[in-house]
Amino acid sequence: MTKTAPREMLYLLAGSESERKLDLLLSLTRITSEPTIAALKLHYTTGLEPERCAARHFIELSNLMRAQTTLNNTMGVVEAIKEIDWEKHLAKLATANVRIVELEQLVSMAASYMNGNELLEQHLRAAISDSKEHAA
């Protein structure tokens, strides 16, 4: 029984990527060959098969495949950074939601203390509603 190497996660989808995104990713790599860059862009923006992209830009398929791996690995790092940022955002959002619940309870207590002063309750609820929209 032979072991196979684990497959790498593919972050870029042929035919579905914007040229702007590719330009930004390429700026994070050492890929400088114009024909290789053109073949990458052709593949990722149109979905044309790598063999045809390499042939159209007169480069070896192995060079294009190596550049694809580099670009995909770079995208993996970008995704990992985004995940860290997303976790921080979710933690902040959870903290804000806890505070909103506390404020809602405070409004209810204040309204009952004020013997049902509806105007005060409306103003406090409006302030909380604004806080919820701002937190989102």
PDB file of all heavy atoms in Angstrom, residues 67-92:
ATOM      1  N   ALA A  67       4.127  28.381 -11.433  1.00  0.00           N
ATOM      2  CA  ALA A  67       3.592  29.706 -11.106  1.00  0.00           C
ATOM      3  C   ALA A  67       2.199  29.589 -10.491  1.00  0.00           C
ATOM      4  O   ALA A  67       1.862  30.336  -9.564  1.00  0.00           O
ATOM      5  CB  ALA A  67       3.556  30.585 -12.360  1.00  0.00           C
ATOM      6  N   GLN A  68       1.405  28.646 -10.986  1.00  0.00           N
ATOM      7  CA  GLN A  68       0.076  28.423 -10.402  1.00  0.00           C
ATOM      8  C   GLN A  68       0.197  27.994  -8.945  1.00  0.00           C
ATOM      9  O   GLN A  68      -0.552  28.473  -8.089  1.00  0.00           O
ATOM     10  CB  GLN A  68      -0.683  27.341 -11.173  1.00  0.00           C
ATOM     11  CG  GLN A  68      -1.358  27.828 -12.420  1.00  0.00           C
ATOM     12  CD  GLN A  68      -2.184  26.702 -13.030  1.00  0.00           C
ATOM     13  OE1 GLN A  68      -1.654  25.739 -13.574  1.00  0.00           O
ATOM     14  NE2 GLN A  68      -3.489  26.846 -12.939  1.00  0.00           N
ATOM     15  N   THR A  69       1.131  27.104  -8.665  1.00  0.00           N
ATOM     16  CA  THR A  69       1.340  26.642  -7.290  1.00  0.00           C
ATOM     17  C   THR A  69       1.764  27.801  -6.396  1.00  0.00           C
ATOM     18  O   THR A  69       1.249  27.961  -5.283  1.00  0.00           O
ATOM     19  CB  THR A  69       2.405  25.518  -7.260  1.00  0.00           C
ATOM     20  OG1 THR A  69       1.924  24.417  -8.029  1.00  0.00           O
ATOM     21  CG2 THR A  69       2.683  25.053  -5.849  1.00  0.00           C
ATOM     22  N   THR A  70       2.680  28.626  -6.887  1.00  0.00           N
ATOM     23  CA  THR A  70       3.128  29.789  -6.123  1.00  0.00           C
ATOM     24  C   THR A  70       1.960  30.731  -5.846  1.00  0.00           C
ATOM     25  O   THR A  70       1.768  31.194  -4.709  1.00  0.00           O
ATOM     26  CB  THR A  70       4.233  30.545  -6.892  1.00  0.00           C
ATOM     27  OG1 THR A  70       5.338  29.669  -7.072  1.00  0.00           O
ATOM     28  CG2 THR A  70       4.670  31.799  -6.161  1.00  0.00           C
ATOM     29  N   LEU A  71       1.172  31.010  -6.857  1.00  0.00           N
ATOM     30  CA  LEU A  71       0.033  31.919  -6.700  1.00  0.00           C
ATOM     31  C   LEU A  71      -0.995  31.336  -5.740  1.00  0.00           C
ATOM     32  O   LEU A  71      -1.538  32.046  -4.880  1.00  0.00           O
ATOM     33  CB  LEU A  71      -0.590  32.184  -8.076  1.00  0.00           C
ATOM     34  CG  LEU A  71      -1.288  33.518  -8.275  1.00  0.00           C
ATOM     35  CD1 LEU A  71      -0.374  34.680  -7.962  1.00  0.00           C
ATOM     36  CD2 LEU A  71      -1.817  33.618  -9.691  1.00  0.00           C
ATOM     37  N   ASN A  72      -1.263  30.047  -5.855  1.00  0.00           N
ATOM     38  CA  ASN A  72      -2.224  29.397  -4.975  1.00  0.00           C
ATOM     39  C   ASN A  72      -1.736  29.407  -3.521  1.00  0.00           C
ATOM     40  O   ASN A  72      -2.513  29.665  -2.603  1.00  0.00           O
ATOM     41  CB  ASN A  72      -2.480  27.961  -5.438  1.00  0.00           C
ATOM     42  CG  ASN A  72      -3.615  27.337  -4.681  1.00  0.00           C
ATOM     43  OD1 ASN A  72      -4.746  27.803  -4.746  1.00  0.00           O
ATOM     44  ND2 ASN A  72      -3.322  26.288  -3.946  1.00  0.00           N
ATOM     45  N   ASN A  73      -0.442  29.142  -3.309  1.00  0.00           N
ATOM     46  CA  ASN A  73       0.105  29.178  -1.951  1.00  0.00           C
ATOM     47  C   ASN A  73       0.031  30.579  -1.365  1.00  0.00           C
ATOM     48  O   ASN A  73      -0.256  30.747  -0.174  1.00  0.00           O
ATOM     49  CB  ASN A  73       1.550  28.673  -1.942  1.00  0.00           C
ATOM     50  CG  ASN A  73       1.639  27.189  -2.216  1.00  0.00           C
ATOM     51  OD1 ASN A  73       0.661  26.451  -2.091  1.00  0.00           O
ATOM     52  ND2 ASN A  73       2.812  26.738  -2.615  1.00  0.00           N
ATOM     53  N   THR A  74       0.273  31.581  -2.190  1.00  0.00           N
ATOM     54  CA  THR A  74       0.159  32.974  -1.744  1.00  0.00           C
ATOM     55  C   THR A  74      -1.279  33.282  -1.351  1.00  0.00           C
ATOM     56  O   THR A  74      -1.533  33.919  -0.320  1.00  0.00           O
ATOM     57  CB  THR A  74       0.639  33.936  -2.852  1.00  0.00           C
ATOM     58  OG1 THR A  74       1.986  33.596  -3.192  1.00  0.00           O
ATOM     59  CG2 THR A  74       0.572  35.378  -2.403  1.00  0.00           C
ATOM     60  N   MET A  75      -2.226  32.810  -2.145  1.00  0.00           N
ATOM     61  CA  MET A  75      -3.635  33.017  -1.817  1.00  0.00           C
ATOM     62  C   MET A  75      -3.985  32.313  -0.508  1.00  0.00           C
ATOM     63  O   MET A  75      -4.803  32.810   0.270  1.00  0.00           O
ATOM     64  CB  MET A  75      -4.516  32.511  -2.964  1.00  0.00           C
ATOM     65  CG  MET A  75      -5.973  32.848  -2.796  1.00  0.00           C
ATOM     66  SD  MET A  75      -6.243  34.627  -2.840  1.00  0.00           S
ATOM     67  CE  MET A  75      -7.803  34.725  -1.990  1.00  0.00           C
ATOM     68  N   GLY A  76      -3.379  31.167  -0.250  1.00  0.00           N
ATOM     69  CA  GLY A  76      -3.598  30.465   1.011  1.00  0.00           C
ATOM     70  C   GLY A  76      -3.173  31.303   2.205  1.00  0.00           C
ATOM     71  O   GLY A  76      -3.863  31.339   3.231  1.00  0.00           O
ATOM     72  N   VAL A  77      -2.054  32.003   2.084  1.00  0.00           N
ATOM     73  CA  VAL A  77      -1.588  32.886   3.161  1.00  0.00           C
ATOM     74  C   VAL A  77      -2.568  34.045   3.339  1.00  0.00           C
ATOM     75  O   VAL A  77      -2.920  34.410   4.464  1.00  0.00           O
ATOM     76  CB  VAL A  77      -0.159  33.395   2.876  1.00  0.00           C
ATOM     77  CG1 VAL A  77       0.262  34.460   3.882  1.00  0.00           C
ATOM     78  CG2 VAL A  77       0.819  32.235   2.875  1.00  0.00           C
ATOM     79  N   VAL A  78      -3.018  34.619   2.240  1.00  0.00           N
ATOM     80  CA  VAL A  78      -3.991  35.715   2.312  1.00  0.00           C
ATOM     81  C   VAL A  78      -5.265  35.241   3.021  1.00  0.00           C
ATOM     82  O   VAL A  78      -5.809  35.932   3.886  1.00  0.00           O
ATOM     83  CB  VAL A  78      -4.304  36.263   0.897  1.00  0.00           C
ATOM     84  CG1 VAL A  78      -5.491  37.211   0.926  1.00  0.00           C
ATOM     85  CG2 VAL A  78      -3.084  36.943   0.306  1.00  0.00           C
ATOM     86  N   GLU A  79      -5.740  34.052   2.670  1.00  0.00           N
ATOM     87  CA  GLU A  79      -6.943  33.507   3.304  1.00  0.00           C
ATOM     88  C   GLU A  79      -6.734  33.274   4.796  1.00  0.00           C
ATOM     89  O   GLU A  79      -7.637  33.512   5.600  1.00  0.00           O
ATOM     90  CB  GLU A  79      -7.381  32.205   2.617  1.00  0.00           C
ATOM     91  CG  GLU A  79      -7.981  32.415   1.247  1.00  0.00           C
ATOM     92  CD  GLU A  79      -9.272  33.221   1.262  1.00  0.00           C
ATOM     93  OE1 GLU A  79     -10.050  33.124   2.234  1.00  0.00           O
ATOM     94  OE2 GLU A  79      -9.505  33.966   0.297  1.00  0.00           O
ATOM     95  N   ALA A  80      -5.551  32.821   5.192  1.00  0.00           N
ATOM     96  CA  ALA A  80      -5.255  32.608   6.610  1.00  0.00           C
ATOM     97  C   ALA A  80      -5.280  33.937   7.372  1.00  0.00           C
ATOM     98  O   ALA A  80      -5.801  34.011   8.495  1.00  0.00           O
ATOM     99  CB  ALA A  80      -3.894  31.922   6.766  1.00  0.00           C
ATOM    100  N   ILE A  81      -4.757  34.986   6.755  1.00  0.00           N
ATOM    101  CA  ILE A  81      -4.785  36.319   7.372  1.00  0.00           C
ATOM    102  C   ILE A  81      -6.225  36.800   7.501  1.00  0.00           C
ATOM    103  O   ILE A  81      -6.626  37.342   8.534  1.00  0.00           O
ATOM    104  CB  ILE A  81      -3.927  37.312   6.565  1.00  0.00           C
ATOM    105  CG1 ILE A  81      -2.449  36.935   6.676  1.00  0.00           C
ATOM    106  CG2 ILE A  81      -4.166  38.755   7.025  1.00  0.00           C
ATOM    107  CD1 ILE A  81      -1.535  37.653   5.702  1.00  0.00           C
ATOM    108  N   LYS A  82      -7.017  36.599   6.456  1.00  0.00           N
ATOM    109  CA  LYS A  82      -8.426  37.001   6.502  1.00  0.00           C
ATOM    110  C   LYS A  82      -9.169  36.258   7.608  1.00  0.00           C
ATOM    111  O   LYS A  82     -10.027  36.836   8.283  1.00  0.00           O
ATOM    112  CB  LYS A  82      -9.093  36.745   5.146  1.00  0.00           C
ATOM    113  CG  LYS A  82      -8.685  37.739   4.079  1.00  0.00           C
ATOM    114  CD  LYS A  82      -9.122  37.373   2.690  1.00  0.00           C
ATOM    115  CE  LYS A  82     -10.538  36.985   2.496  1.00  0.00           C
ATOM    116  NZ  LYS A  82     -10.877  36.680   1.084  1.00  0.00           N
ATOM    117  N   GLU A  83      -8.843  34.993   7.817  1.00  0.00           N
ATOM    118  CA  GLU A  83      -9.485  34.200   8.863  1.00  0.00           C
ATOM    119  C   GLU A  83      -9.179  34.771  10.249  1.00  0.00           C
ATOM    120  O   GLU A  83     -10.055  34.857  11.100  1.00  0.00           O
ATOM    121  CB  GLU A  83      -9.019  32.741   8.774  1.00  0.00           C
ATOM    122  CG  GLU A  83      -9.671  31.823   9.760  1.00  0.00           C
ATOM    123  CD  GLU A  83     -11.145  31.579   9.510  1.00  0.00           C
ATOM    124  OE1 GLU A  83     -11.581  31.679   8.348  1.00  0.00           O
ATOM    125  OE2 GLU A  83     -11.864  31.299  10.489  1.00  0.00           O
ATOM    126  N   ILE A  84      -7.930  35.168  10.459  1.00  0.00           N
ATOM    127  CA  ILE A  84      -7.546  35.786  11.737  1.00  0.00           C
ATOM    128  C   ILE A  84      -8.336  37.068  11.954  1.00  0.00           C
ATOM    129  O   ILE A  84      -8.889  37.309  13.031  1.00  0.00           O
ATOM    130  CB  ILE A  84      -6.026  36.063  11.773  1.00  0.00           C
ATOM    131  CG1 ILE A  84      -5.264  34.739  11.830  1.00  0.00           C
ATOM    132  CG2 ILE A  84      -5.660  36.975  12.938  1.00  0.00           C
ATOM    133  CD1 ILE A  84      -3.775  34.888  11.572  1.00  0.00           C
ATOM    134  N   ASP A  85      -8.410  37.901  10.922  1.00  0.00           N
ATOM    135  CA  ASP A  85      -9.157  39.157  11.030  1.00  0.00           C
ATOM    136  C   ASP A  85     -10.636  38.897  11.272  1.00  0.00           C
ATOM    137  O   ASP A  85     -11.283  39.607  12.045  1.00  0.00           O
ATOM    138  CB  ASP A  85      -8.961  40.015   9.779  1.00  0.00           C
ATOM    139  CG  ASP A  85      -7.567  40.611   9.697  1.00  0.00           C
ATOM    140  OD1 ASP A  85      -6.852  40.613  10.721  1.00  0.00           O
ATOM    141  OD2 ASP A  85      -7.198  41.067   8.602  1.00  0.00           O
ATOM    142  N   TRP A  86     -11.189  37.888  10.612  1.00  0.00           N
ATOM    143  CA  TRP A  86     -12.606  37.566  10.771  1.00  0.00           C
ATOM    144  C   TRP A  86     -12.894  37.125  12.202  1.00  0.00           C
ATOM    145  O   TRP A  86     -13.902  37.506  12.791  1.00  0.00           O
ATOM    146  CB  TRP A  86     -13.007  36.482   9.773  1.00  0.00           C
ATOM    147  CG  TRP A  86     -14.447  36.121   9.832  1.00  0.00           C
ATOM    148  CD1 TRP A  86     -14.976  34.926  10.205  1.00  0.00           C
ATOM    149  CD2 TRP A  86     -15.570  36.956   9.518  1.00  0.00           C
ATOM    150  NE1 TRP A  86     -16.346  34.964  10.140  1.00  0.00           N
ATOM    151  CE2 TRP A  86     -16.730  36.195   9.725  1.00  0.00           C
ATOM    152  CE3 TRP A  86     -15.692  38.274   9.091  1.00  0.00           C
ATOM    153  CZ2 TRP A  86     -18.006  36.711   9.519  1.00  0.00           C
ATOM    154  CZ3 TRP A  86     -16.970  38.789   8.893  1.00  0.00           C
ATOM    155  CH2 TRP A  86     -18.097  38.015   9.090  1.00  0.00           C
ATOM    156  N   GLU A  87     -12.004  36.320  12.794  1.00  0.00           N
ATOM    157  CA  GLU A  87     -12.185  35.875  14.174  1.00  0.00           C
ATOM    158  C   GLU A  87     -12.173  37.066  15.130  1.00  0.00           C
ATOM    159  O   GLU A  87     -12.970  37.123  16.064  1.00  0.00           O
ATOM    160  CB  GLU A  87     -11.101  34.866  14.553  1.00  0.00           C
ATOM    161  CG  GLU A  87     -11.278  33.520  13.877  1.00  0.00           C
ATOM    162  CD  GLU A  87     -10.097  32.590  14.062  1.00  0.00           C
ATOM    163  OE1 GLU A  87      -9.140  32.940  14.807  1.00  0.00           O
ATOM    164  OE2 GLU A  87     -10.114  31.505  13.458  1.00  0.00           O
ATOM    165  N   LYS A  88     -11.266  38.027  14.892  1.00  0.00           N
ATOM    166  CA  LYS A  88     -11.231  39.226  15.733  1.00  0.00           C
ATOM    167  C   LYS A  88     -12.525  40.023  15.581  1.00  0.00           C
ATOM    168  O   LYS A  88     -13.076  40.528  16.554  1.00  0.00           O
ATOM    169  CB  LYS A  88     -10.029  40.103  15.381  1.00  0.00           C
ATOM    170  CG  LYS A  88      -8.728  39.555  15.888  1.00  0.00           C
ATOM    171  CD  LYS A  88      -7.597  40.566  15.895  1.00  0.00           C
ATOM    172  CE  LYS A  88      -7.288  41.152  14.564  1.00  0.00           C
ATOM    173  NZ  LYS A  88      -6.077  41.975  14.526  1.00  0.00           N
ATOM    174  N   HIS A  89     -13.010  40.136  14.350  1.00  0.00           N
ATOM    175  CA  HIS A  89     -14.256  40.860  14.100  1.00  0.00           C
ATOM    176  C   HIS A  89     -15.419  40.195  14.828  1.00  0.00           C
ATOM    177  O   HIS A  89     -16.244  40.870  15.447  1.00  0.00           O
ATOM    178  CB  HIS A  89     -14.536  40.923  12.594  1.00  0.00           C
ATOM    179  CG  HIS A  89     -15.876  41.467  12.247  1.00  0.00           C
ATOM    180  ND1 HIS A  89     -16.196  42.806  12.380  1.00  0.00           N
ATOM    181  CD2 HIS A  89     -17.006  40.857  11.793  1.00  0.00           C
ATOM    182  CE1 HIS A  89     -17.449  42.987  12.022  1.00  0.00           C
ATOM    183  NE2 HIS A  89     -17.955  41.821  11.661  1.00  0.00           N
ATOM    184  N   LEU A  90     -15.500  38.871  14.760  1.00  0.00           N
ATOM    185  CA  LEU A  90     -16.586  38.144  15.431  1.00  0.00           C
ATOM    186  C   LEU A  90     -16.524  38.319  16.943  1.00  0.00           C
ATOM    187  O   LEU A  90     -17.558  38.445  17.601  1.00  0.00           O
ATOM    188  CB  LEU A  90     -16.545  36.659  15.063  1.00  0.00           C
ATOM    189  CG  LEU A  90     -16.948  36.312  13.638  1.00  0.00           C
ATOM    190  CD1 LEU A  90     -16.812  34.806  13.405  1.00  0.00           C
ATOM    191  CD2 LEU A  90     -18.370  36.768  13.321  1.00  0.00           C
ATOM    192  N   ALA A  91     -15.320  38.351  17.497  1.00  0.00           N
ATOM    193  CA  ALA A  91     -15.173  38.554  18.939  1.00  0.00           C
ATOM    194  C   ALA A  91     -15.673  39.947  19.334  1.00  0.00           C
ATOM    195  O   ALA A  91     -16.386  40.096  20.342  1.00  0.00           O
ATOM    196  CB  ALA A  91     -13.718  38.367  19.355  1.00  0.00           C
ATOM    197  N   LYS A  92     -15.331  40.951  18.536  1.00  0.00           N
ATOM    198  CA  LYS A  92     -15.812  42.307  18.815  1.00  0.00           C
ATOM    199  C   LYS A  92     -17.326  42.386  18.698  1.00  0.00           C
ATOM    200  O   LYS A  92     -18.000  43.046  19.499  1.00  0.00           O
ATOM    201  CB  LYS A  92     -15.169  43.317  17.866  1.00  0.00           C
ATOM    202  CG  LYS A  92     -13.727  43.606  18.153  1.00  0.00           C
ATOM    203  CD  LYS A  92     -13.163  44.613  17.159  1.00  0.00           C
ATOM    204  CE  LYS A  92     -11.702  44.873  17.385  1.00  0.00           C
ATOM    205  NZ  LYS A  92     -11.154  45.808  16.396  1.00  0.00           N
TER     206      LYS A  92
END
